[in-house]
Amino acid sequence: MKPVSSSMLIPFVITLLFSFLWATSAHTHEDFLQCLTLHAGNSTSSISQVIYTPANSSYSSVLEFSIQNPRFSTPTTPKPLVIVTPSHISQIQAAIKCSQKHDMQIRVRSGGHDSEGLSYVSYVPFVIIDLINLHSINVDVENGTAWVEAGAILGEVYYKIAEKSRNFGFPAGVCPTVGVGGHFSGGGYGTLLRKYGIAADNIVDAQMIDVKGRILDRESMGEDLFWAIRGGGGASFGVIVAWKIKLVHVPSTVTVFTVNRNLEQNATKLVHRWQYVADKLDEDLIILISLRAANSSQEGRRTIQVSFNSLYLGGIDNLLSLMQESFPELGLVREDCSEMSWIESTLYFAGFPSGESLDVLLSRTPRIRPNFFKAKSDYVMKPIPEVGLEGIWERFYQKEAKEAILALIPYGGRMSEISESAIPFPHRVGNIYKILYLVNWEEEGIVESKRHISWIRRFYSYMVAYVSKSPRAAYVNYRDLDIGTNSKKGNTSYKRASTWGTKYFKSNFNRLVHVKTMVDPTNFFKNEQSIPPLSS
Ligand SMILES: Cc1cc2nc3c(=O)[nH]c(=O)nc-3n(C[C@H](O)[C@H](O)[C@H](O)COP(=O)(O)OP(=O)(O)OC[C@H]3O[C@@H](n4cnc5c(N)ncnc54)[C@H](O)[C@@H]3O)c2cc1C
Ligand SMILES: *[C@@H]1O[C@H](CO)[C@@H](O)[C@H](O)[C@H]1NC(C)=O
Ligand SMILES: *[C@@H]1O[C@H](CO)[C@@H](O)[C@H](O)[C@H]1NC(C)=O
Ligand SMILES: *[C@@H]1O[C@H](CO)[C@@H](O)[C@H](O)[C@H]1NC(C)=O
Ligand SMILES: *[C@@H]1O[C@H](CO)[C@@H](O)[C@H](O)[C@H]1NC(C)=O
Ligand SMILES: *[C@@H]1O[C@H](CO)[C@@H](O)[C@H](O)[C@H]1NC(C)=O
Ligand SMILES: *[C@@H]1O[C@H](CO)[C@@H](O)[C@H](O)[C@H]1NC(C)=O
């Protein structure tokens, strides 16, 4: 007879442990629900209409609706005890108070695009405050400003601005389903960054709720906290309810182009050359690069397909002469270019076919169903030599990279004029471009996940010789827990948090810690990469 293996006991122990945990947390969340009902007051809508627990049939669909990385939507991913989808500020205040009282962590979600799922996953009992119902936008054309609620998505912002005027735009991201709550909190860049900087550079006021449940605006929160929320990363300082943004001027006609070149068409030389011109171009012009592996025209061979994607704030004729002057090697011709309005260019960059109705900007469902993904970022301060680029191509031929993309985002222009400490986002003068590494995969399971994540990590190690150093800088909106974390519960020491904090924020990290210590000394708002207060 075989002896009873101790491993046979494990499922039993786990079941026991789980039912115990469930019983305790069920108890907690009952109390939490009662607390909510008590504190929510009698605002416009009853709080019971915006509360979901696993007992509600729509709990899963509400949870999953805004999950943009299915890597964090598996049966073993921890789930919230309660989801609150406030339709009124008082309900956010109640959720904050009751979470404190019943020792639950809060995760705030706007668009759900966090690469590491921090807006909807936690390893301690938690509540999601999902701002999906707070998405109104009020555009004031006379003053060139707009109030935008945190649950709005970028597509709605662009749509509502264009509805009022075709000569205003806003310098934020290209993916229309990204939420402004997280996006503006971490910076937020798009095709207008060389002309106008990033979204956070163009915020003039905000409304937020702090740890004490107070409603604050710029004046009442003070300039330190207002500084911190514009680029210091969401979730550390409170719940942003709305932003007031400064609209920017766009001409009636803009021009876009996409030029594809593969290795047989001198792509290596072109990417190499691009590094010497991309940050020095006229600031009305941006040329982004995205590249991936593709089949070559030669049977059975692979190549690298490089796309040069561009927005020019003007007409074709001017663009052609600018390109002739600054980047003739690309061989841009009139037929590559299309003139359109700025709002149409947002559809173009989001990948919609020409002639698509602007209404698609209002949809919260992404154009392409999201796959599992892992993202990382880097900053490049000196051009990568051709031999370095060739090492990149080799890595793209590996099988894990079948659906990997490298995006190169040029800086210069307005980005170099803004000081490193103007807002927490520190990546300014000296950067030629930013790199986004992205690997996607469709295959389910931990093995596939590990294989692809390991590929992107090896690639990232390879790049160390070519990118910024001390610190090796990263973009907080391309959240990457590999670069360092707090504990899984969210607490940490200043020293431990500095490892990731200085990569995202450079020396602004210290001021962020200072602000955090002032406004949330007990570290209520926390996650694996939240700013710690000094006391903890
Ligand atoms: C497909 C895709 C395309 C992208 N394109 C771009 C791009 O073009 N440019 C760019 O700069 N970035 C881009 N990003 C990155 C994106 O800017 C960040 O993921 C951003 O944080 C997402 O904001 P969100 O509200 O959608 O995410 P969420 O997951 O809801 O939130 C992100 C973080 O902010 C916190 N947070 C959210 N709302 C609030 C709030 N109201 N108050 C306080 N904290 C809050 C969350 O708790 C979380 O920590 C892209 C990401 C994806 C997945
Ligand atoms: C709630 O409604 C009652 C009756 O309509 C009113 O008397 C009371 O002042 C309201 N309380 C709050 C907090 O709004
Ligand atoms: C969820 O279920 C509870 C209890 O049945 C109910 O009071 C609440 O209204 C439900 N939530 C929604 C959004 O319907
Ligand atoms: C413009 O802003 C001023 C000051 O905030 C405000 O009083 C005025 O009403 C605004 N104009 C419009 C048309 O809303
Ligand atoms: C590649 O570059 C060389 C010179 O650098 C040029 O002669 C050749 O025409 C280019 N090929 C293509 C396909 O553009
Ligand atoms: C590329 O080539 C491989 C094998 O030669 C083939 O299986 C695959 O379908 C091709 N992909 C595309 C996008 O054409
Ligand atoms: C986090 O807090 C717990 C107790 O609340 C403590 O045991 C642990 O050491 C802390 N972790 C860190 C990294 O500070």
Side-chain angles (χ1 to χ4, degrees):
M1 213 172 87
K2 274 198 256 170
V4 178
S5 140
S6 68
S7 70
M8 289 175 70
L9 285 173
I10 289 176
F12 173 71
V13 173
I14 288 181
T15 314
L16 201 73
L17 193 70
F18 188 77
S19 24
F20 170 74
L21 283 177
W22 184 250
T24 357
S25 50
H27 178 66
T28 315
H29 98 245
E30 282 302 321
D31 293 346
F32 173 80
L33 292 178
Q34 270 180 13
C35 174
L36 274 189
T37 318
L38 219 77
H39 281 85
N42 26 351
S43 56
T44 43
S45 82
S46 153
I47 189 131
S48 72
Q49 291 169 326
V50 299
I51 297 178
Y52 302 83
T53 73
N56 295 84
S57 57
S58 43
Y59 168 87
S60 295
S61 58
V62 171
L63 175 63
E64 278 156 30
F65 184 75
S66 296
I67 293 185
Q68 302 291 348
N69 191 349
R71 195 149 70 87
F72 304 102
S73 180
T74 71
T76 54
T77 311
K79 305 284 189 279
L81 294 171
V82 181
I83 306 170
V84 185
T85 57
S87 53
H88 191 270
I89 288 191
S90 63
Q91 297 165 344
I92 305 178
Q93 294 171 297
I96 292 176
K97 277 205 187 89
C98 298
S99 303
Q100 286 165 350
K101 197 158 170 212
H102 297 286
D103 207 16
M104 315 244 268
Q105 203 175 78
I106 280 183
R107 293 295 161 119
V108 186
R109 182 163 75 174
S110 289
H113 286 68
D114 193 287
S115 317
E116 302 276 15
L118 296 193
S119 55
Y120 51 88
V121 180
S122 170
Y123 294 87
V124 296
F126 72 111
V127 177
I128 295 180
I129 300 182
D130 187 327
L131 298 177
I132 190 162
N133 290 328
L134 292 174
H135 63 125
S136 72
I137 295 171
N138 209 329
V139 178
D140 172 355
V141 185
E142 279 83 58
N143 286 324
T145 58
W147 272 103
V148 179
E149 282 187 323
I153 57 171
L154 296 180
E156 291 176 299
V157 176
Y158 301 153
Y159 182 98
K160 297 284 172 151
I161 295 172
E163 200 178 45
K164 289 277 177 73
S165 162
R166 294 282 169 125
N167 289 113
F168 277 126
F170 191 67
V174 296
C175 172
T177 57
V178 164
V180 306
H183 187 68
F184 295 4
S185 294
Y189 79 90
T191 53
L192 294 173
L193 99 160
R194 302 196 65 251
K195 175 84 171 184
Y196 293 114
I198 58 176
D201 293 326
N202 295 279
I203 292 170
V204 292
D205 203 342
Q207 186 181 45
M208 70 175 282
I209 310 211
D210 74 357
V211 66
K212 296 191 176 130
R214 294 177 300 199
I215 303 174
L216 304 175
D217 65 1
R218 179 175 185 165
E219 200 186 336
S220 55
M221 79 177 77
E223 286 304 301
D224 275 327
L225 181 51
F226 184 60
W227 174 86
I229 59 174
R230 288 172 297 158
S236 294
F237 303 100
V239 180
I240 308 289
V241 179
W243 304 105
K244 185 180 186 184
I245 60 176
K246 189 174 78 208
L247 308 181
V248 302
H249 282 278
V250 292
S252 307
T253 301
V254 305
T255 306
V256 300
F257 70 75
T258 299
V259 168
N260 295 317
R261 296 283 186 263
N262 59 31
L263 297 187
E264 294 78 54
Q265 298 165 316
N266 285 345
T268 307
K269 284 209 152 46
L270 289 172
V271 174
H272 185 252
R273 178 70 194 143
W274 172 89
Q275 302 177 98
Y276 291 86
V277 298
D279 64 319
K280 298 176 193 74
L281 294 170
D282 186 303
E283 64 179 20
D284 286 337
L285 176 59
I286 184 166
I287 305 177
L288 304 132
I289 286 182
S290 66
L291 61 88
R292 64 186 79 213
N295 286 345
S296 155
S297 56
Q298 289 165 277
E299 188 63 36
R301 293 195 55 184
R302 298 282 278 167
T303 187
I304 300 294
Q305 164 94 54
V306 180
S307 294
F308 295 86
N309 270 291
S310 176
L311 173 71
Y312 176 61
L313 297 172
I316 293 187
D317 291 333
N318 281 346
L319 170 61
L320 286 173
S321 64
L322 263 178
M323 286 296 286
Q324 191 50 43
E325 241 168 68
S326 357
F327 196 18
E329 299 86 346
L330 188 61
L332 184 73
V333 293
R334 182 172 294 269
E335 293 66 45
D336 296 323
C337 305
S338 314
E339 289 184 342
M340 55 183 65
S341 62
W342 176 78
I343 190 67
E344 287 164 338
S345 82
T346 66
L347 289 183
Y348 178 82
F349 281 98
F352 290 104
S354 102
E356 186 67 81
S357 155
L358 292 181
D359 294 349
V360 296
L361 292 171
L362 302 176
S363 167
R364 298 186 85 98
T365 311
R367 189 177 58 85
I368 301 172
R369 197 174 60 88
N371 266 336
F372 304 104
F373 76 87
K374 168 80 185 164
K376 299 176 89 66
S377 61
D378 256 321
Y379 283 88
V380 176
M381 314 184 87
K382 5 184 251 281
I384 301 177
E386 284 190 33
V387 57
L389 297 176
E390 278 154 8
I392 298 179
W393 309 163
E394 272 168 40
R395 281 157 181 84
F396 269 83
Y397 293 143
Q398 295 169 0
K399 60 181 184 306
E400 293 84 359
K402 205 173 74 197
E403 291 180 67
I405 293 175
L406 197 69
L408 313 181
I409 300 99
Y411 274 31
R414 183 78 189 119
M415 290 302 278
S416 302
E417 293 164 11
I418 299 172
S419 103
E420 260 190 31
S421 58
I423 61 170
F425 176 98
H427 316 291
R428 305 289 185 175
V429 72
N431 293 295
I432 306 177
Y433 59 98
K434 167 168 67 196
I435 299 180
L436 162 64
Y437 307 85
L438 186 62
V439 61
N440 285 278
W441 63 97
E442 280 169 6
E443 305 89 341
E444 296 197 359
I446 188 89
V447 173
E448 288 302 325
S449 174
K450 279 194 169 142
R451 221 161 55 78
H452 289 90
I453 293 173
S454 157
W455 175 83
I456 203 171
R457 287 179 180 156
R458 291 194 311 270
F459 186 13
Y460 186 76
S461 317
Y462 164 74
M463 293 296 287
V464 67
Y466 304 115
V467 297
S468 64
K469 298 176 178 55
S470 319
R472 182 172 183 178
Y475 174 40
V476 65
N477 266 347
Y478 290 150
R479 170 122 33 224
D480 178 8
L481 295 184
D482 296 351
I483 68 170
T485 60
N486 303 337
S487 79
K488 269 209 156 161
K489 292 184 168 182
N491 60 337
T492 190
S493 63
Y494 167 80
K495 189 158 174 280
R496 178 167 169 178
S498 304
T499 60
W500 58 265
T502 52
K503 291 170 186 157
Y504 287 147
F505 307 114
K506 298 192 183 173
S507 56
N508 294 332
F509 179 65
N510 285 335
R511 185 170 173 197
L512 287 168
V513 170
H514 172 75
V515 175
K516 174 76 176 183
T517 310
M518 282 191 324
V519 304
D520 183 19
T522 63
N523 204 17
F524 172 66
F525 292 109
K526 60 177 172 292
N527 62 39
E528 294 89 321
Q529 276 184 349
S530 59
I531 307 290
L534 265 183
S535 48
S536 76

